[in-house]
Amino acid sequence: MNRAFLERAFQGAPLLFLLLWASGFVFAAMGLAHTDPMTLLALRYFLVVLVLLPLFVALRPGLPESPTQWLHVCVVGLCIQVFFFGGVYMSLEYGLSAGAVALIASLHPIIVGALAAPLVGERVGIQGWLGLALGLLGAAIVIVTRMTVEAASLVGVLFAVLSLLAMTSATLYEKRFGVAQHPVTANIVQCGLGFLVLAPLAVLLEPVHIDWTGEFLIAMGYLVICNSLIAVTLLLALVRRGLASRVSALFFLVPPLSALIAWLILGEVMPVAAWGGIAVATVGVALISEPGQRAREALVARLRSP
């Protein structure tokens, strides 16, 4: 009964992941208004470890059992915690618009789809590629109609590309080599590693100054609990349980969902074309999702039956 309940509950994981991940960009921008990127990330990871240490002592979930498992956990941690988040934050810091960052990030599912077959043995198929194409088109429509897509800084573009490659690498690596670790263990190891890498960089490159306002505390609380502890854990679990190309396709919905959240909460204008982009992206993700694939297979079977 408990296992069946968990299986049903996990079906809502993609939606929860999308909500938390898309909202995270709003709170990251709030946090960056009061401190610098490396300082923000280092503090974020330190707080994650601080929150999880009592749970680790109480639950005793264990550590990776071999040097190989340690390597796999650390590689994924470096890709996501250091290079992905670091690249996104630094690209914003160097003047790249949120629209340009989102547009570059929207290439992630396309790259994963292209590399999934040779690297992890996944076959995307015609319907999958159609879904990826529609997802990219829908995301691009939302970005172009709502955001200023500027690339004023070459350094900012390079950081955005770094974040794109890092998330792609993490997705494919986790699918190929990832071994299921307890979420508490994985988060402590990966965020601890992120802190050890980024804290010295913050000290060397930034003034390490923080404006301790209420807005900053709200942003930090959200980034620690919702982004680091929940969203990243859900992402890795989804990759291990499903096809990497299908999970990556969820990222097409991040720009549309971010726009929708901004419309609902902040009252930002939503042009008619942006609503059309949300619809197109949703159809694309539905086509490549597992239910969409099953529906196609069922339709083909009915057409072939006498």
Side-chain angles (χ1 to χ4, degrees):
M1 178 63 70
N2 289 337
R3 183 178 180 84
F5 173 78
L6 291 176
E7 289 292 336
R8 289 195 297 270
F10 194 78
Q11 293 177 1
L15 177 59
L16 179 59
F17 164 75
L18 278 171
L19 289 172
L20 297 179
W21 196 267
S23 303
F25 289 98
V26 176
F27 288 94
M30 289 170 55
L32 287 172
H34 302 282
T35 189
D36 296 297
M38 298 298 102
T39 301
L40 177 61
L41 283 172
L43 178 61
R44 168 179 168 175
Y45 298 148
F46 174 78
L47 292 175
V48 169
V49 174
L50 197 64
V51 168
L52 288 180
L53 276 178
L55 282 176
F56 184 83
V57 173
L59 298 176
R60 298 184 179 180
L63 294 169
E65 297 177 355
S66 67
T68 301
Q69 290 189 11
W70 274 103
L71 175 65
H72 295 335
V73 174
C74 290
V75 168
V76 174
L78 281 173
C79 287
I80 295 179
Q81 308 294 355
V82 175
F83 294 111
F84 172 72
F85 285 117
V88 168
Y89 286 21
M90 290 300 293
S91 64
L92 295 172
E93 181 73 7
Y94 274 89
L96 203 64
S97 68
V101 175
L103 187 59
I104 293 172
S106 293
L107 298 175
H108 164 64
I110 297 294
I111 298 175
V112 170
L115 297 179
L119 294 183
V120 298
E122 292 183 9
R123 181 177 177 273
V124 176
I126 296 176
Q127 179 178 330
W129 280 112
L130 177 60
L132 290 172
L134 289 175
L136 178 61
L137 175 61
I141 290 173
V142 174
I143 293 166
V144 171
T145 55
R146 288 196 70 259
M147 306 176 185
T148 302
V149 182
E150 299 175 348
S153 168
L154 176 60
V155 176
V157 172
L158 293 177
F159 274 120
V161 172
L162 172 65
S163 68
L164 165 66
L165 297 177
M167 181 54 71
T168 301
S169 300
T171 301
L172 294 172
Y173 190 94
E174 179 68 16
K175 183 62 180 178
R176 179 72 181 271
F177 301 108
V179 178
Q181 298 286 339
H182 194 284
V184 173
T185 299
N187 274 296
I188 284 182
V189 172
Q190 293 175 349
C191 290
L193 180 62
F195 173 77
L196 291 176
V197 172
L198 295 176
L201 292 178
V203 172
L204 289 173
L205 303 176
E206 298 175 352
V208 195
H209 173 74
I210 299 173
D211 295 324
W212 295 97
T213 64
E215 182 179 82
F216 177 79
L217 293 176
I218 292 172
M220 182 57 65
Y222 187 94
L223 294 173
V224 169
I225 303 298
C226 297
N227 264 152
S228 288
L229 293 181
I230 302 178
V232 174
T233 299
L234 287 175
L235 172 62
L236 298 181
L238 287 167
V239 169
R240 283 193 296 268
R241 291 173 61 97
L243 296 179
S245 55
R246 292 177 183 173
V247 176
S248 297
L250 293 172
F251 282 82
F252 283 137
L253 291 179
V254 171
L257 189 56
S258 297
L260 189 59
I261 291 171
W263 174 68
L264 290 171
I265 297 178
L266 303 178
E268 293 186 2
V269 176
M270 280 284 286
V272 175
W275 288 106
I278 291 176
V280 171
T282 302
V283 170
V285 173
L287 284 174
I288 199 172
S289 66
E290 186 174 355
Q293 296 285 354
R294 288 201 302 265
R296 181 190 67 83
E297 293 167 1
L299 177 60
V300 170
R302 285 198 297 270
L303 292 175
R304 288 178 177 174
S305 62

